[in-house]
Amino acid sequence: MSQILLLTNNHGTSVDVLPALELLSHEIHILPAVPTALLDARPCELIMVDARTDLAGSRSLCQLLRATGVSIPLLLVLTEGGMAVVTAAWAADDVVLDSAGPAEVEARIRLVLTKMASTELEGNQEIHAAGIVIDEDSYTARVHGAALNLTYKEFELLKYLAQHPGRVFTRAQLLNEVWGYDYYGGTRTVDVHVRRLRAKLGSEHESLISTVRNVGYRLSDFRKLEDSMAEADAEA
């Protein structure tokens, strides 16, 4: 049995949010879907966020919970229509439909709790790509040992590119993944942040973020280049 905190602004019991919960043996504690509610919360292993009716508010709540140091799993409860707008920018660990049956809900809970336990055992994992090292826990980034002074969005953009070295992303893809679906700015925002990132990388490393003409941007994967050079040397 797990201790679960359900955050919802829809008055009622858990059966009104996720009926299958009533058929499981977990202990459910319900509080309003506001960050200050955690001050009155009991210790819990999982937070469920009722995102069925207020997508923008639920997204902001999840991001704020993460920003304030909440590290336990966040599971979103959504309608089928809401599934289309959830991205990594929400900072949630998983989603479940409000119509899901007991077996699926139990599996979702078990998987996010198991994943969290495995992550804690592994410890802090840094992202390494093309000489760039990103520490997600401390929000720091270094290039060949030199620290980079980045804004939040610059850090998020560089982290996303570093997680997929060598892969080309369109401006629209980067805008959606880093800024989120509800951001109303244009794709020029991506160009501005790439230009700032290159400036902070310095003239020696600015080419790490390359422009693919008529497509978008990518973080150069120098491992492939090094492998190719090693093969050429071996053939020679």
Side-chain angles (χ1 to χ4, degrees):
M1 182 176 71
S2 300
Q3 305 290 323
I4 297 175
L5 173 61
L6 174 59
L7 299 180
T8 178
N9 286 325
N10 295 286
H11 301 293
T13 65
S14 59
V15 70
D16 299 313
V17 180
L18 187 60
L21 273 180
E22 294 293 312
L23 302 176
L24 302 175
S25 60
H26 304 292
E27 184 173 337
I28 312 298
H29 183 43
I30 302 176
L31 287 175
V34 293
T36 54
L38 296 183
L39 298 174
D40 301 318
R42 306 169 188 170
C44 60
E45 302 164 72
L46 170 69
I47 295 177
M48 285 188 172
V49 177
D50 179 9
R52 296 172 303 153
T53 58
D54 184 5
L55 291 169
S58 298
R59 178 177 182 267
S60 297
L61 175 61
C62 289
Q63 292 176 329
L64 188 55
L65 289 174
R66 289 299 188 215
T68 54
V70 173
S71 59
I72 62 177
L74 297 180
L75 183 62
L76 296 174
V77 181
L78 293 161
T79 62
E80 189 166 354
M83 296 282 280
V85 300
V86 177
T87 68
W90 284 57
D93 295 283
D94 203 353
V95 299
V96 63
L97 286 174
D98 58 351
S99 59
E104 180 180 347
V105 173
E106 181 64 24
R108 297 281 186 184
I109 292 172
R110 184 173 63 251
L111 287 170
V112 293
L113 291 177
T114 301
K115 180 180 178 182
M116 177 60 67
S118 299
T119 301
E120 289 176 351
L121 288 174
E122 291 173 1
N124 178 33
Q125 297 294 313
E126 294 180 331
I127 300 170
H128 293 255
I132 294 172
V133 179
I134 293 175
D135 187 328
E136 294 184 88
D137 287 349
S138 62
Y139 267 82
T140 58
R142 305 186 303 276
V143 56
H144 294 288
L148 298 173
N149 182 21
L150 305 178
T151 65
Y152 176 75
K153 284 302 181 185
E154 289 167 355
F155 177 86
E156 290 295 315
L157 177 58
L158 183 61
K159 181 182 77 172
Y160 190 75
L161 291 171
Q163 287 173 325
H164 309 87
R167 180 176 169 183
V168 181
F169 292 97
T170 66
R171 292 167 176 82
Q173 285 176 317
L174 292 173
L175 194 68
N176 183 61
E177 293 297 331
V178 178
W179 279 264
Y181 81 98
D182 56 351
Y183 180 74
Y184 295 106
T187 54
R188 179 162 174 74
T189 298
V190 177
D191 296 329
V192 171
H193 279 73
V194 167
R195 186 166 64 248
R196 291 174 181 170
L197 270 178
R198 285 172 171 163
K200 291 183 178 182
L201 286 168
S203 58
E204 186 178 353
H205 307 299
E206 63 181 1
S207 60
L208 290 176
I209 301 177
S210 58
T211 301
V212 179
R213 190 172 182 180
N214 297 325
V215 182
Y217 298 104
R218 70 178 170 195
L219 186 75
S220 300
D221 188 352
F222 283 105
R223 290 173 300 179
K224 293 181 180 179
L225 177 59
E226 290 169 356
D227 290 344
S228 298
M229 293 176 64
E231 290 176 3
D233 290 341
E235 291 176 359

